[in-house]
Amino acid sequence: MRPTSPWIWLFEQKEHRLQQLHRELLYLEPGYISNQYTDIDIHLMDFWIGDTDPSLIQFFTPDIDTTFKIANTALDPEDPLDDPFTWAREMKDDQDIIPKEMHHQLHRAFSNYLRKSPGGNKIPICWELISMREEEGIFNSNDRHGFTIERGAISVDGKTAHQIVVMKKDECHHDILPSVGELVVLARWMLSGFKNHKHQFCRYHRHERPQLDFPTMIISFLPDARVRVLHRYYDGSRLKVAYTHALNFNAEDYTEKMDVLHQWAWPFTDGDTTKSIPLPTIEDDEEDEWDEWELRYREDSEDGGSKSEEDGNSAEVEKDLSGCESEFDEDDESDGENKNPIEEWSDEFVIFAGINRKIIERLEEKMRALGK
């Protein structure tokens, strides 16, 4: 029996663990997230230039040279007829205007300036908007955590799997820390990326290097005219999140903040989402490396023996991905000239099988030493 592809193994593990994290987030009470959660690693990010903790992979950075800015439109940010948010600020004492809901007008102003900027009425060539009809699940609102999705886009350059989401939220739980609802959206969109990639890769892109991560960025419009930008990726064990303060746009520097927000509208993307899996050759003196793989093996063994709901999800993922391998085999039989992508990793299969063998041998030695 041929060993499981290293990519399929890691892909399955990451999706399964992210599913667990997503369920845990859904059960949390509405509020904010701090670093007290062991599966979430959050770091503050500079809204103006995008700098964050160097330990994070910076998949998104603002496009400081963008043409999307107020000065490039014929609109006057001080004219309430041109700027819906300026109109709302002037009318905030009116009983029909609720200050807490001014973020709706702020979102309208953001969209107007973007659309009226040169080239702003077209989607950049490397991006594609996601249809709400095709992906109803990820556009669903959530009353418990109070958010709605306004827009979503994915990169279509064929090399990366970045995603952008614009959302509104009914509550700003903390001026600095991100909310549970915002992380729910991040996890939900990443899981959608996994699901769609399995379908696309199995059926249409079988000879391309598969994606291993789906970094997602959110522009979150919050009550009291606040906006937060955050992005994340999943390293297989922790959700890595960079986030800005919930900046108050009802301020004297409104136009400056709006221009910088447009730099985040279609940001620069970086980072390799198709990177190969580093599989170490385990030697006796490499204890740290060995312990890491032994722990993974123990976790997989324990998961394999349980009958929990999570295992059902993992089995479903394995079934879906095994279909990919069968399609690869069928394609090889029909076209001998096209090399099977899985065969390209034959050396990695040998390493992966060797790791499993060494793990089993090491565990047996430990059991014998304990007299069991």
Side-chain angles (χ1 to χ4, degrees), residues 40-227:
I40 302 173
D41 185 21
I42 65 174
H43 296 276
L44 192 61
M45 179 174 64
D46 189 328
F47 169 77
W48 302 93
I49 58 177
D51 283 353
T52 186
D53 191 276
S55 67
L56 299 184
I57 301 174
Q58 199 158 351
F59 282 105
F60 300 90
T61 53
D63 180 5
I64 60 175
D65 296 322
T66 184
T67 58
F68 304 145
K69 56 183 62 178
I70 295 176
N72 290 340
T73 71
L75 303 176
D76 182 359
E78 297 182 0
D79 188 343
L81 297 178
D82 285 346
D83 190 312
F85 182 64
T86 298
W87 173 83
R89 285 200 290 180
E90 292 189 359
M91 299 291 291
K92 65 181 179 180
D93 295 330
D94 190 288
Q95 61 180 359
D96 294 331
I97 300 296
I98 303 175
K100 188 177 180 180
E101 297 182 356
M102 289 175 64
H103 61 301
H104 296 293
Q105 303 302 325
L106 182 61
H107 174 254
R108 285 186 58 195
F110 167 77
S111 300
N112 285 348
Y113 288 125
L114 182 62
R115 187 171 59 254
K116 298 293 184 179
S117 295
N121 59 343
K122 298 180 180 179
I123 306 302
I125 192 171
C126 56
W127 292 95
E128 179 179 78
L129 288 180
I130 299 178
S131 170
M132 289 189 179
R133 292 184 178 181
E134 294 177 1
E135 297 291 346
E136 293 181 357
I138 54 178
F139 282 96
N140 286 348
S141 60
N142 184 297
D143 294 334
R144 174 178 169 81
H145 291 288
F147 63 78
T148 55
I149 307 300
E150 296 293 329
R151 188 189 72 186
I154 57 174
S155 60
V156 289
D157 61 2
K159 300 178 181 179
T160 60
H162 296 68
Q163 303 179 121
I164 299 176
V165 184
V166 177
M167 64 176 284
K168 294 179 185 176
K169 202 168 182 313
D170 296 339
E171 193 74 34
C172 181
H173 298 282
H174 202 284
D175 291 345
I176 299 177
L177 297 171
S179 68
V180 175
E182 288 165 332
L183 295 194
V184 167
V185 173
L186 286 172
R188 177 189 289 184
W189 276 72
M190 184 173 182
L191 284 172
S192 175
F194 274 96
K195 175 183 175 182
N196 291 335
H197 186 61
K198 281 191 295 185
H199 174 74
Q200 294 290 329
F201 183 72
C202 290
R203 295 186 179 276
Y204 305 114
H205 305 296
R206 289 172 288 180
H207 299 290
E208 293 183 9
R209 192 67 170 174
Q211 303 291 339
L212 288 170
D213 207 344
F214 302 87
T216 302
M217 190 197 84
I218 286 180
I219 298 177
S220 180
F221 288 85
L222 304 168
D224 298 315
R226 295 180 180 272
V227 177

Side-chain angles (χ1 to χ4, degrees), residues 315-363:
E316 182 179 348
V317 173
E318 185 174 1
K319 180 179 179 182
D320 291 341
L321 291 174
S322 64
C324 294
E325 293 194 75
S326 64
E327 287 199 30
F328 288 142
D329 295 336
E330 293 171 2
D331 194 60
D332 274 349
E333 294 174 1
S334 62
D335 186 358
E337 296 181 358
N338 291 330
K339 187 176 181 181
N340 190 326
I342 290 185
E343 289 180 356
E344 295 177 4
W345 304 333
S346 58
D347 291 339
E348 293 180 344
F349 289 153
V350 174
I351 296 173
F352 189 69
I355 290 172
N356 276 342
R357 185 177 64 255
K358 281 183 172 289
I359 288 173
I360 294 172
E361 292 173 355
R362 185 67 172 266
L363 288 174

Side-chain angles (χ1 to χ4, degrees), residues 268-317:
F268 287 127
T269 58
D270 199 3
D272 186 1
T273 59
T274 64
K275 55 189 176 184
S276 58
I277 308 164
L279 293 176
T281 302
I282 299 176
E283 302 294 343
D284 292 339
D285 58 347
E286 295 175 329
E287 293 296 333
D288 293 340
E289 202 169 49
W290 167 260
D291 290 341
E292 178 183 348
W293 284 94
E294 183 180 27
L295 178 61
R296 290 193 181 190
Y297 180 82
R298 285 180 179 274
E299 290 175 349
D300 289 350
S301 298
E302 292 171 359
D303 289 343
S306 67
K307 302 295 182 181
S308 64
E309 177 184 353
E310 289 79 9
D311 287 330
N313 292 332
S314 182
E316 182 179 348
V317 173

